[in-house]
Amino acid sequence: QVQLQESGPGLVKPSQTLSLTCTVSGGSITANSYYLSWIRQPPGKGRQWMGAIGYTDNTYYSPSLKSRISISRDTSKNQFTLQLTSVTPEDTAVYYCAGARTNVPAWGQGYWGQGTQVTVSS
């Protein structure tokens, strides 16, 4: 059973860089033909696809985040990471990682982590 788990700081100060790691267990989807994605859900709003990295290391980013986002993967550790620079309180959200056969997975499509709360505040 493939499982994904997000990890990282729950509180980030404005203007800093948010870094999250997704650790995959029970299967090596980071090295197979899966897209590894990050999705977030701000309070009171819908889920927002942020970006993905493909199995050939191609990256796909939301146009609204493209200047601030970076997604990478480490197949030796079965992990992939999200970095979001210059954060503001509007980046406060529950952040999810997902692995699926598409770079824009629907909710529940493929494998999803439980989500981790990140708050941007001084």
Side-chain angles (χ1 to χ4, degrees), residues 11 100 105:
L11 180 64

Side-chain angles (χ1 to χ4, degrees), residues 20-22 30 36 38 52-53 57 59 61 70-75 79-83:
L20 295 176
T21 297
C22 183
T30 55
L36 309 171
W38 288 94
I53 184 167
D57 283 339
T59 51
Y61 298 137
S70 177
I71 297 174
S72 61
R73 63 181 184 150
D74 186 337
T75 54
Q79 294 177 331
F80 59 107
T81 61
L82 166 72
Q83 289 201 317

Side-chain angles (χ1 to χ4, degrees), residues 55-104:
Y55 47 91
T56 58
D57 283 339
N58 287 344
T59 51
Y60 310 84
Y61 298 137
S62 167
S64 65
L65 298 172
K66 192 171 184 178
S67 64
R68 300 194 292 130
I69 190 174
S70 177
I71 297 174
S72 61
R73 63 181 184 150
D74 186 337
T75 54
S76 66
K77 295 181 180 180
N78 225 12
Q79 294 177 331
F80 59 107
T81 61
L82 166 72
Q83 289 201 317
L84 188 66
T85 63
S86 305
V87 297
T88 71
E90 291 187 347
D91 294 308
T92 295
V94 177
Y95 285 75
Y96 299 91
C97 60
R101 299 290 190 181
T102 173
N103 62 339
V104 187

